[in-house]
């Protein structure tokens, strides 16, 4: 039992370490779209990836890799704000909703 618990903790530590990262100076070169996309990805990874997957591939929630071909930016913003199906609304707040909605709308 102790070996299993230790293995679980060690594995979790490795996964969390792999998910971390520093600032990439290249994201800030244009100061605009790339930086916004990077911020949106960070927000997504913290608030959405647990259900929708690290690479938008889906999991407990649907895949979002092509969500922009199905929904407009405003529709995505509404889903984030109000929820849909099993997804609760309000997981992301304020300007972060706009950033993530814009980023997801570009996924086609």
């Amino acid at each position: 039992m102790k070996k299993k618990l230790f293995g679980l903790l060690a594995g979790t530590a490795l996964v969390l370490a792999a998910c971390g990262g520093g600032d990439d100076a290249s994201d800030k070169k244009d100061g605009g779209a790339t930086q916004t996309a990077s911020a949106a990805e960070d927000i997504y990874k913290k608030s959405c990836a647990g259900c929708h997957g690290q690479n938008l591939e889906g999991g407990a929630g649907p895949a979002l890799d092509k969500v922009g071909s199905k929904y407009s930016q405003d529709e995505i913003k509404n889903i984030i704000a109000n929820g849909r199906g099993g997804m609760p609304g309000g997981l992301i707040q304020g300007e972060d909703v706009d950033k993530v909605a814009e980023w997801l709308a570009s996924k086609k």
Side-chain angles (χ1 to χ4, degrees), residues 22 44 46 52 66 76 95:
Y44 172 86
K46 290 176 186 171
H52 294 286
K66 295 180 183 170
I76 294 169
E95 292 179 10

Side-chain angles (χ1 to χ4, degrees), residues 51-52 60-62 79 82-89 91:
C51 291
H52 294 286
I79 292 168
N82 300 311
R84 181 177 224 168
M87 179 182 139
L91 295 175

